[in-house]
Amino acid sequence: MSFFSKLKNKIKKRKQEVTQKYDEGLTKSRKSLSEKVNSLVSRYIIIDEDYFNELEEILILSDVGFETVEDMMESIKKEIKGYNIKDPKAVKDIIVDKMFSIYSQGSHVKTQLELDPHNLNVILFVGVNGSGKTTSIAKIANILLKKNINTMVAAADTFRAAATEQLLKWSDRLKIKCVTKEKEGQDPASVIYKAIQEAKSNGTQVLLCDTAGRLQAKTTLMNELEKMKRIINREVDHQPIETLLVLDATTGQNGISQSKYFSEVTPITGIILSKIDGTAKGGIVLSIKKEFRIPVKYVGFGEKIDDLKEFDLEEYIYNLTKGLE
Ligand SMILES: Nc1nc2c(ncn2[C@@H]2O[C@H](COP(=O)(O)OP(=O)(O)OP(=O)(O)O)[C@@H](O)[C@H]2O)c(=O)[nH]1
Ligand SMILES: [Mg+2]
């Protein structure tokens, strides 16, 4: 049985709702990839250098990332030559297999949040302006609430005027407590401090902290985030602090380099890949793996509250590639 068929059988047994989100969210990416690859395999009778060059270009255009494409092409060529494969159409199964093995590198892909059931858990959300931090916080709060986990949010984005209102709107809808600043321009770390005290006093299990997305000088950003972490470290037993970087998939390679800025100033424990529904370049998940070496923990599929799911490599690759002939 081919690699792709095995994957398909596995997916069939999954929860319908999750599969549907991946299916819908990756529609643009799937269409774009399958149109290009299907056109390629229909135009070639034999596999030659031109065929490989075109395939390489297709992968780069889908945001797989230059270095990862090089690695992939090397191993695709090895396999095609090693097994003496002649049919250009055979590439589908090889692409799927390589995407899979390059992402997982033989180990299990861990996506679970590090939550300690006996202590307060504080999760910090960072990322560039507009990447989807506030929306992702609401979506994760919704997931936690469904699991009966007491959740609170803190509006530590004290910079942007409407940021607090935006989080308040979500917390009202979800009926959870939102701790906000008391005055304009208040130090974000002090909002987090206050939120931790409240969380401790009312038995909250998870506190989700929103931060400002503005890109500032490295040292300023570093100091600001370090101060927040210092306070969390001092006040909360559970370590390390989950710090989730929210990355907008539609910003592509440029977004990756902007986001790297955050990983350079503070340790990141996981990535939320938002707005996958808005891009035709779903290969970005492979670039992220290469650039950050940090697991993608959640994927955002839209603007609605339930449009965020735990990252599932099998669903992702299957729904990205199932249009290949
Ligand atoms: N299509 C789509 N839109 C999304 C997704 N996630 C967030 N958005 C939208 O992206 C826009 C920005 O999201 P926010 O959550 O406000 O982003 P932010 O990072 O908090 O922004 P700042 O606070 O300004 O730094 C909003 O209009 C969201 O509805 C997603 O997965 N898919
Ligand atoms: Mg925000």
Side-chain angles (χ1 to χ4, degrees):
M1 197 192 286
S2 74
F3 186 81
F4 187 79
S5 312
K6 279 187 207 151
L7 193 56
K8 189 174 176 180
N9 285 341
K10 263 186 164 173
I11 300 286
K12 270 195 203 152
K13 293 178 195 139
R14 293 278 165 75
K15 263 194 189 161
Q16 269 309 101
E17 194 233 341
V18 174
T19 302
Q20 200 184 335
K21 285 283 178 211
Y22 275 88
D23 179 17
E24 286 167 12
L26 285 162
T27 305
K28 282 186 194 158
S29 297
R30 177 169 59 249
K31 267 189 149 168
S32 166
L33 185 69
S34 57
E35 265 167 27
K36 294 191 185 100
V37 174
N38 294 343
S39 152
L40 169 73
V41 302
S42 70
R43 282 182 285 107
Y44 282 80
I45 301 164
I46 52 155
I47 298 176
D48 59 10
E49 260 324 293
D50 287 345
Y51 172 90
F52 284 133
N53 289 340
E54 277 199 49
L55 181 59
E56 185 167 354
E57 200 179 315
I58 292 171
L59 293 172
I60 287 171
L61 285 174
S62 86
D63 257 347
V64 169
F66 193 71
E67 283 174 41
T68 309
V69 171
E70 301 259 282
D71 292 351
M72 258 180 96
M73 288 308 299
E74 197 183 312
S75 91
I76 289 174
K77 282 180 187 172
K78 223 187 205 166
E79 187 142 337
I80 286 182
K81 285 178 185 146
Y83 289 100
N84 202 14
I85 294 168
K86 300 262 186 279
D87 180 7
K89 288 193 173 62
V91 76
K92 167 183 172 170
D93 210 49
I94 301 174
I95 290 181
V96 179
D97 180 22
K98 295 303 165 210
M99 282 187 168
F100 213 86
S101 56
I102 280 187
Y103 192 96
S104 60
Q105 282 172 351
S107 62
H108 177 67
V109 181
K110 201 164 167 280
T111 58
Q112 298 275 322
L113 289 178
E114 297 280 347
L115 296 182
D116 174 352
H118 307 295
N119 275 305
L120 169 63
N121 298 273
V122 181
I123 307 180
L124 217 49
F125 289 73
V126 301
V128 299
N129 201 358
S131 57
K133 295 178 292 299
T134 309
T135 316
S136 298
I137 287 179
K139 291 169 178 171
I140 290 183
N142 185 48
I143 292 174
L144 295 172
L145 293 170
K146 281 191 181 157
K147 293 183 183 168
N148 291 318
I149 296 173
N150 295 333
T151 306
M152 248 177 78
V153 292
D157 176 353
T158 57
F159 176 72
R160 195 164 60 82
T164 302
E165 281 79 81
Q166 193 189 352
L167 195 60
L168 274 171
K169 226 185 241 170
W170 282 115
S171 60
D172 275 354
R173 233 184 98 180
L174 294 164
K175 300 188 175 59
I176 56 172
K177 173 88 193 166
C178 174
V179 172
T180 59
K181 64 185 173 198
E182 276 145 5
K183 54 180 194 303
E184 272 318 302
Q186 190 178 332
D187 180 10
S190 72
V191 176
I192 292 184
Y193 176 80
K194 192 175 127 198
I196 291 175
Q197 304 315 315
E198 282 209 40
K200 280 182 178 170
S201 71
N202 66 17
T204 292
Q205 292 162 289
V206 179
L207 171 66
L208 307 172
C209 305
D210 200 5
T211 67
R214 73 190 147 140
L215 267 186
Q216 23 186 8
K218 223 171 199 169
T219 47
T220 317
L221 182 67
M222 200 183 295
N223 289 340
E224 199 170 286
L225 289 169
E226 266 177 10
K227 193 167 176 193
M228 292 186 220
K229 286 196 168 176
R230 218 164 35 239
I231 288 192
I232 302 169
N233 276 320
R234 198 181 69 202
E235 301 296 320
V236 176
D237 290 335
H238 178 57
Q239 308 295 338
I241 306 160
E242 276 274 10
T243 307
L244 300 179
L245 173 72
V246 184
L247 201 159
D248 176 345
T250 65
T251 56
Q253 300 299 314
N254 190 27
I256 289 183
S257 53
Q258 281 190 346
S259 299
K260 276 200 108 171
Y261 199 73
F262 283 88
S263 65
E264 282 156 17
V265 298
T266 197
I268 303 295
T269 57
I271 290 174
I272 298 180
L273 183 58
S274 68
K275 311 188 198 180
I276 207 72
D277 55 306
T279 180
K281 299 179 172 188
I284 191 165
V285 78
L286 292 161
S287 304
I288 290 175
K289 175 72 187 205
K290 177 94 184 169
E291 293 292 329
F292 292 94
R293 301 189 184 280
I294 301 167
V296 171
K297 294 198 172 180
Y298 288 95
V299 184
F301 296 109
E303 294 188 278
K304 294 195 297 298
I305 192 82
D306 60 350
D307 286 341
L308 185 97
K309 298 288 169 208
E310 248 175 44
F311 176 61
D312 183 319
L313 183 64
E314 291 178 344
E315 287 284 0
Y316 195 101
I317 305 261
Y318 173 72
N319 284 293
L320 176 64
T321 57
K322 71 178 179 187
L324 304 187
E325 278 161 6

